Amino acid sequence: MGMKTIAVLGSTGSIGRQTLGVLRADPTLGKVGVLAVRSDVKLLLEQTAEFHPAYVAVEDETAAAAVKDALPAGTKLLVGKDAASVAASLDEVDIAVNGISGFAGTEPLLKALEAGKTVALANKESIVCAHSLVEAALQKGGAIIPVDSEQSAIFQCLAGGRKNEVKRLWLTASGGPFRTFSKERLKSVTVADALKHPTWNMGAKITIDSATLFNKGLEIMEASYLFDVEGERISVLVHPESIVHSMVEFNDASTLAQLSKPDMRLAIHYALAYPERQPSAFGALNLAEVGKLTFEAPDAERFPSIPLAYAALKEGEVLPIAYNAANEAAVARFRRGEIGFYGIVSAVEYAMEHMPKGKVRSFADVLYLDREARRLAEKAMEKI
Amino acid sequence: MGMKTIAVLGSTGSIGRQTLGVLRADPTLGKVGVLAVRSDVKLLLEQTAEFHPAYVAVEDETAAAAVKDALPAGTKLLVGKDAASVAASLDEVDIAVNGISGFAGTEPLLKALEAGKTVALANKESIVCAHSLVEAALQKGGAIIPVDSEQSAIFQCLAGGRKNEVKRLWLTASGGPFRTFSKERLKSVTVADALKHPTWNMGAKITIDSATLFNKGLEIMEASYLFDVEGERISVLVHPESIVHSMVEFNDASTLAQLSKPDMRLAIHYALAYPERQPSAFGALNLAEVGKLTFEAPDAERFPSIPLAYAALKEGEVLPIAYNAANEAAVARFRRGEIGFYGIVSAVEYAMEHMPKGKVRSFADVLYLDREARRLAEKAMEKI
């Protein structure tokens, strides 16, 4: 296979910047064909000068206007709401890295898959909210290679057996900065506390989700949809060292685990090189230096995000959307200091309880339900 | 595939008994076609009454005479030095489980492979001593599925990548009962101390080898020959909990590990079911209950068996044979209380230093070199 052409969606975010770091360290993995951003055109221009993409995509029209004349001659500009989706679907793109944060990553995933692209997927909200549409889009010949470290681990471990031999998926969770906090103490944690992640270097939204374990809840659903394993056969294991990224237990009591240093670049590197593995210049692991790996069951009482995720997954239509949207709305308020830790939980519970019933049949349904869940969450939070 | 017919070589030993235990628990894995033993005919007759093999093979002629008239009508008797080899090569055999202890397992391995059989190999001494002959025999269409838990782990983890993507094999070692002992204290340990293995239930020879780490030395060589990875890319990691059975590090800094409870029956079960996995009724692992996995580098100064193994592997002809044979001779004396812990090391060192030089070209060479190494080891031990 020749050099792959890569579209980096969300190139100025955490995953986007780390993807470019991986490509900078190993240019043989592929060349950057597209950089897509929401509004950070200052960094976009720096990235464009370094990687010379054929296209840049900017969602925000005001920001796009500012960038128009600063682009080099060979780089075309796409602007607007669907710019990232259009850019990811261009003929010349082989792989789209979806590093867009939150629900906004959904439409680009669907459009890229409908265009038959391989998507290196870091955005979990998209598959949680639109799993049935993703499944349909995958029929067009595209593929998803997970970039989320847990899902990448499971993807790698699944090579050790056949689908019908898988007994259980074990998702590991660092437990975040509040792992050992009592329920009482959790009530008064601040956004600054939540942003101090002990092991991973990630964006703000996912770092807070890691502190509340809503991130793990989303991953339970993501794993179920990516690997077609029902919730009853997915377990969470708290593993503070973040070295074992997840595991697959087979029916013969043999478990395969994937280990590495906690460095998102390794999962990105794996996804870009797939189906091969290419040498990485960084990240070598020596367990004798690590010394100790610990594991404990998650505490569903202190972290209701976990049982709520199983409940959402069981219903599988409107509740995953409610879980995600209400959490996004609540995290925004938590970041502004307007609600506390359990305010996030209450908002999600309220939204899940009051969602309209029904089946998701179109992206319009997803958009409607997402908005409805946010409205319900806001209503719940206004009461707090 | 229909029901597999299994030859159990060394059926009254630890691996043999556990193999029959696996087949008793899950008869769909295969039917017992052959039971081969050295001399324990009492247990052989019990096993025969339960499993109705078409053949039994007894090495010891006196023991065989005692069993002759006690066999059921449908069971044929093979007798003598090559009885196990002949039995393993019978047309009706699909898989030979080689659970013979020590160097004596070598000829049955070679004969079974030459007959194109799949060998579920628990005996590591055979491949250490006759690796070039094993490689030649494998050209006849047979295959080796490792049963040694470490090699089974590596075999399973290798599914996660291609051969040229493997960077390093990590063999784990429990460290045995003397893991924390000082050199001074090791000088006075007894055979009773050595037989107290903290995690594994195994035969006496391998349990003592686990205490001296000669077992790990043999496994370094075994892994090198089984998976075609040179010694420089094989590392040992002491892991007292014996849950991670070994690991494969790929070139992209991703490591796959295989985990299970320390139960030889699981590796036997895997080998018999291969290339499928079949549900196991026992052995489910819950890491939250285990709680903690620890890792440390092995201490080459207290356990010279490790550097000696790398030296033997580097030479790769007469020294692996010397390493194994001198260790077998020394373990026999250690079991009789005639030499101490470091007496084993000295005997192996002496034999390795004084071995004739040359290449191994035939099984006669292997036999000659094995005897020569035992002679040298005895000479060294007489001096002690």
Side-chain angles (χ1 to χ4, degrees):
Chain A
M1 174 163 194
M3 188 74 134
K4 294 171 187 169
T5 296
I6 299 168
V8 185
L9 312 184
S11 69
T12 57
S14 175
I15 290 290
R17 283 180 279 121
Q18 293 187 75
T19 300
L20 295 176
V22 167
L23 292 168
R24 186 181 294 121
D26 185 357
T28 68
L29 286 168
K31 66 173 198 290
V32 176
V34 172
L35 294 171
V37 306
R38 189 172 50 198
S39 61
D40 183 355
V41 292
K42 182 166 176 293
L43 181 51
L44 173 67
L45 286 174
E46 288 175 33
Q47 292 176 341
T48 301
E50 181 178 358
F51 291 97
H52 314 290
Y55 292 85
V56 297
V58 182
E59 182 183 327
D60 184 282
E61 302 198 3
T62 317
V67 84
K68 201 166 181 183
D69 298 330
L71 287 173
T75 300
K76 296 178 198 72
L77 175 65
L78 300 165
V79 181
K81 265 277 173 211
D82 63 349
S85 296
V86 171
S89 311
L90 290 166
D91 276 350
E92 47 267 72
V93 170
D94 297 306
I95 304 181
V97 177
N98 188 338
I100 296 171
S101 177
F103 180 76
T106 307
E107 194 162 8
L109 169 64
L110 292 171
K111 294 296 184 195
L113 291 178
E114 281 164 8
K117 305 301 183 191
T118 293
V119 178
L121 186 65
N123 176 289
K124 65 197 75 175
E125 294 85 347
S126 52
I127 193 163
V128 167
C129 296
H131 59 95
S132 57
L133 308 175
V134 167
E135 211 171 298
L138 278 167
Q139 305 306 314
K140 304 285 173 67
I144 295 177
I145 315 296
V147 166
D148 213 359
S149 63
E150 291 81 355
Q151 317 294 353
S152 178
I154 290 171
F155 187 85
Q156 293 180 53
C157 293
L158 285 172
R162 302 171 195 193
K163 190 169 189 296
N164 66 346
E165 294 164 357
V166 172
K167 184 172 179 187
R168 180 168 294 280
L169 308 181
W170 290 89
L171 284 171
T172 57
S174 73
F178 307 144
R179 180 173 61 87
T180 61
F181 283 29
S182 68
K183 207 162 175 177
E184 208 46 51
R185 195 167 166 206
L186 279 171
K187 287 178 184 164
S188 59
V189 295
T190 67
V191 64
D193 297 332
L195 287 173
K196 288 178 199 140
H197 198 280
T199 50
W200 286 100
N201 166 27
M202 303 181 293
K205 157 79 168 41
I206 191 175
T207 302
I208 290 168
D209 286 349
S210 294
T212 59
L213 296 199
F214 271 95
N215 183 53
K216 207 52 52 179
L218 291 168
E219 285 173 5
I220 291 168
M221 293 187 260
E222 183 186 16
S224 178
Y225 298 135
L226 279 176
F227 306 117
D228 193 21
V229 173
E230 64 273 28
E232 288 76 11
R233 296 195 292 132
I234 302 176
S235 293
V236 173
L237 203 50
V238 174
H239 167 49
E241 296 83 8
S242 300
I243 297 290
V244 175
H245 298 307
S246 278
M247 308 190 289
V248 174
E249 177 185 347
F250 292 97
N251 59 4
D252 58 358
S254 175
T255 296
L256 292 192
Q258 189 265 341
L259 295 79
S260 76
K261 287 192 178 165
D263 185 333
M264 280 309 301
R265 294 176 300 167
L266 296 171
I268 295 168
H269 187 282
Y270 176 83
L272 294 179
Y274 185 84
E276 294 176 27
R277 290 180 183 271
Q278 284 186 32
S280 161
F282 50 86
L285 173 70
N286 186 336
L287 278 184
E289 286 167 16
V290 173
K292 187 175 71 168
L293 303 176
T294 62
F295 303 90
E296 62 194 49
D299 182 346
E301 220 227 314
R302 285 184 301 138
F303 296 97
S305 43
I306 299 296
L308 285 171
Y310 283 109
L313 178 58
K314 192 152 195 173
E315 188 264 357
E317 295 285 339
V318 305
L319 293 190
I321 298 174
Y323 183 95
N324 177 66
N327 178 55
E328 280 194 27
V331 167
R333 284 220 189 207
F334 178 75
R335 288 176 72 177
R336 295 195 297 267
E338 296 167 13
I339 59 170
F341 187 91
Y342 287 109
I344 303 176
V345 173
S346 304
V348 173
E349 278 176 338
Y350 184 88
M352 284 175 66
E353 271 167 33
H354 294 83
M355 280 293 276
K357 306 280 173 275
K359 286 206 178 294
V360 174
R361 299 183 197 279
S362 66
F363 188 60
D365 288 352
V366 175
L367 283 174
Y368 163 73
L369 292 163
D370 175 77
R371 268 186 232 115
E372 186 59 15
R374 284 170 204 266
R375 191 187 63 77
L376 290 165
E378 292 298 340
K379 193 172 158 193
M381 291 187 287
E382 270 152 30
K383 289 188 198 155
I384 297 172
Chain B
M1 173 166 197
M3 190 75 134
K4 296 170 187 170
T5 297
I6 300 169
V8 184
L9 313 184
S11 70
T12 56
S14 174
I15 291 289
R17 282 180 277 123
Q18 293 188 74
T19 300
L20 295 176
V22 167
L23 292 168
R24 187 182 294 122
D26 185 357
T28 68
L29 286 168
K31 66 173 199 290
V32 176
V34 172
L35 294 170
V37 307
R38 189 172 51 198
S39 60
D40 183 354
V41 291
K42 181 167 176 296
L43 182 51
L44 173 67
L45 285 174
E46 289 175 31
Q47 293 175 341
T48 301
E50 179 178 359
F51 291 97
H52 314 290
Y55 292 84
V56 297
V58 182
E59 181 183 326
D60 185 282
E61 302 198 4
T62 316
V67 85
K68 203 167 181 182
D69 298 329
L71 286 173
T75 300
K76 297 179 197 72
L77 175 65
L78 300 165
V79 180
K81 265 279 174 212
D82 62 350
S85 296
V86 170
S89 310
L90 290 165
D91 276 352
E92 46 267 72
V93 169
D94 296 306
I95 304 181
V97 176
N98 188 336
I100 296 172
S101 177
F103 179 75
T106 307
E107 195 162 8
L109 170 64
L110 292 171
K111 295 296 184 195
L113 291 178
E114 281 164 8
K117 304 301 183 194
T118 293
V119 179
L121 186 66
N123 175 290
K124 63 197 78 173
E125 294 85 347
S126 52
I127 192 164
V128 167
C129 295
H131 59 94
S132 58
L133 307 176
V134 167
E135 211 170 298
L138 278 167
Q139 304 307 313
K140 305 284 171 66
I144 295 176
I145 314 297
V147 166
D148 213 359
S149 63
E150 291 80 355
Q151 317 295 352
S152 177
I154 290 171
F155 188 84
Q156 294 180 52
C157 292
L158 284 172
R162 302 169 194 194
K163 190 168 187 296
N164 67 346
E165 295 164 354
V166 172
K167 184 172 179 186
R168 180 168 295 278
L169 308 181
W170 291 89
L171 284 170
T172 55
S174 72
F178 307 144
R179 181 174 61 88
T180 60
F181 283 29
S182 68
K183 209 165 174 174
E184 207 48 51
R185 195 167 166 206
L186 279 172
K187 285 179 185 163
S188 57
V189 295
T190 67
V191 64
D193 298 331
L195 287 173
K196 289 176 197 140
H197 198 279
T199 49
W200 286 100
N201 166 26
M202 304 180 292
K205 158 76 170 40
I206 191 174
T207 301
I208 290 169
D209 286 349
S210 294
T212 60
L213 296 199
F214 271 96
N215 182 53
K216 208 50 52 180
L218 291 169
E219 285 174 5
I220 292 168
M221 293 187 261
E222 183 186 16
S224 177
Y225 298 135
L226 278 175
F227 306 117
D228 192 22
V229 172
E230 64 274 26
E232 287 77 9
R233 295 194 294 133
I234 302 176
S235 293
V236 173
L237 203 50
V238 174
H239 167 49
E241 296 84 8
S242 300
I243 296 290
V244 175
H245 298 308
S246 278
M247 307 189 288
V248 174
E249 177 185 345
F250 292 96
N251 59 4
D252 57 359
S254 176
T255 297
L256 292 193
Q258 189 266 339
L259 295 78
S260 76
K261 286 191 178 163
D263 185 332
M264 279 309 301
R265 293 176 301 166
L266 296 171
I268 294 167
H269 187 282
Y270 176 83
L272 293 179
Y274 185 83
E276 292 176 27
R277 292 180 182 270
Q278 284 187 30
S280 161
F282 50 86
L285 174 70
N286 186 336
L287 279 182
E289 286 165 17
V290 174
K292 186 175 72 168
L293 303 175
T294 62
F295 303 90
E296 61 194 49
D299 183 347
E301 221 227 314
R302 285 184 300 137
F303 296 96
S305 43
I306 299 295
L308 285 171
Y310 283 109
L313 179 58
K314 191 152 196 176
E315 189 264 356
E317 296 285 338
V318 306
L319 293 190
I321 298 173
Y323 183 96
N324 176 65
N327 178 55
E328 280 194 28
V331 167
R333 285 221 187 208
F334 178 76
R335 288 176 71 176
R336 295 195 299 266
E338 296 168 14
I339 61 170
F341 187 90
Y342 287 110
I344 303 175
V345 173
S346 304
V348 174
E349 278 175 339
Y350 183 88
M352 283 176 65
E353 270 167 32
H354 293 84
M355 280 293 274
K357 304 283 173 276
K359 287 206 177 296
V360 174
R361 296 182 200 280
S362 66
F363 188 59
D365 288 353
V366 175
L367 284 174
Y368 163 75
L369 291 163
D370 175 76
R371 271 187 229 116
E372 186 59 16
R374 284 169 203 266
R375 191 186 62 77
L376 289 164
E378 292 298 341
K379 195 172 156 192
M381 290 187 288
E382 270 151 29
K383 289 189 196 155
I384 296 169

